[in-house]
Amino acid sequence: MRRMRPLLLAVALALLPCFAGAQEKTLRVSLNTELQVLDPIVTTINATRVFAYMVYDTLVGIDSAGRYHPQMLEGWEVSEDRLTWRFRLREGLEFSDGTPVTAEDCVASIRRWAKREALGRLMLTGARGFEVVDARSFVLTLNRPFAFVIEALGKPGHTIPVIMPARLANLPADKAVPEVVGSGPLLFRQASWRPGDRAVFERNPRYRPRAEPPDGLAGGKAMKLDRVELISMPDQATRVAALQAGELDMLEIVPFHFIPMLQRNRGITIASQRGVEQMVSILNVNHAQPPFNDIKVRRALQAAIEQPDVMASLGLPAGMSMECHSIYMCDAPLTSDAGTGVYKGAGIERARALLKESGYKGEPVVFLHAESSALLNPIGLVMADQLQRAGFNVDLRTSDYATVAQRRLSRAPAEAGGWSVAPIVWNGIDLINPLANPAVSYDCSEYNPGWYCDEETKGLLAQVAETADPAAQKAIAAKLQAAFHRNVNYVLGGQFSAPVAYRSDLAGVVPFAFPVFWNIARK
């Protein structure tokens, strides 16, 4: 045995360069929430959105400024009356199983997406439908103009109009597809996936990136590294230590109280964010069950949430959070103060008075609290305390985020495993279009957890869908915001930065509202 030690040492030393080389070509990332669901049509979880843009592609891509560009498409043409839209795919596109991407796949994928997505349903309501012209071309014919066809096909989430083979897209839209056959820059190694540990992706040799420089979700998605690993690390301090030690290359969101320390570390880069690159804190309200099926009780809830205290809970450095009551984000194109008069005089005392006037009888408020999330844990604790001080009977149910996300889909009464409120967060990039903004766009939808429904909102959505004039669109968007606050669809908790942190030896990181992994190389 002793004679073998020099030989083993020599072999180990010989393999070190290979190991180091493999590490150099691998990007190791920790997301804020664990990857659980692999189909971006059946969930709105952010980890699934990141996954979707790794393994799938879309017909249209949105850039960092909110502009839309052809992605899988070569281009499109629209008739003068805006009723006929002709689309043509780029040449040579393939799925990860080697089959060509065809117009039939695109039409089937759009139809599946539209069954789950409010913007897609609006686009196709009353439409004559699709016609496949040839392998690369298809036509959408409308009965009346729809102002956001391109914005719909390039919607960055949630839910995302990804392109998959027709054989999968034709399966029921309310169940996850049984396999991942993508059209994007990475391959998912599903056989080696270990939930709770890691998910492995490798560069897709069949993917054909566009020639333009990458910008947000648009342009060339060229993979310069061979492998991406999404590594599960529930403990926030462990994530930060791993980033500092070089065991991780990127954190989707930096635990906020570590930001000042990491800003002093030259080996770490903290991305800057503003406007629609930021996030907004939301209290998701269940309109389907007592007590919040009563608008009077919802108005007491609205008054109870004080944004400065919610934002203070995050511990962000100065300038990285703000009070904001616009559903389109502040410092953004559609920022508005419409309907925000309800917040004058709001606070715990006003909430108590409104709650007393409402006739609330102390029914339990089942509060879903995601302790494992760096964002939702502090926000949830503060919001729960605010509700208790306002007089609500809060039943705090603490669990991991995956459990919260699953339970939030239930319309059952609270005593039968249902829920009343749940803190969530929205990415600003998802709020720029009123027809895609979850604050109003899911009005009366059976697929949206919370199930708000408002007749005025329904009419306004129909108006903005047909209005091509930007000034008129902005005026209707303001009316939609006023209706949101009047009906208390959700309660806003404040706007903040949730920046990505990454090792400074990475070059080409594409700035965006959530992490994307193409164009990244090591210096």
Side-chain angles (χ1 to χ4, degrees), residues 27 91 125 137 143 150 169 233 250 280 286 317 364 369 443 461 479 499 511:
L27 185 73
E91 190 174 4
T125 298
S137 303
N143 287 323
I150 299 306
M233 286 189 180
M250 182 180 290
V280 60
N286 188 345
H369 173 228
D443 188 60
L461 289 170
K479 292 180 181 179

Side-chain angles (χ1 to χ4, degrees), residues 62 82 119 122 169 173 239 262 268 296 349 418 427 448 481 484:
I62 188 172
R82 297 168 48 228
L119 184 56
L122 280 170
R239 290 181 186 175
L262 293 178
I268 306 295
K296 293 180 179 179
E349 293 305 318
N427 285 86
N448 183 55
Q481 178 173 295
F484 164 91

Side-chain angles (χ1 to χ4, degrees), residues 306-328:
E306 298 182 81
Q307 289 193 11
D309 290 344
V310 176
M311 291 294 94
S313 74
L314 296 175
L316 281 161
M320 294 185 72
S321 65
M322 62 191 299
E323 189 170 357
C324 181
H325 291 288
S326 176
I327 64 172
Y328 307 108

Side-chain angles (χ1 to χ4, degrees), residues 271-275 277-279 319-320 496-500 512-514:
S272 61
Q273 296 177 319
R274 61 186 296 273
E277 294 177 344
Q278 294 182 307
M279 289 185 169
M320 294 185 72
F496 60 95
S497 292
V500 170
F512 200 59
F514 54 87

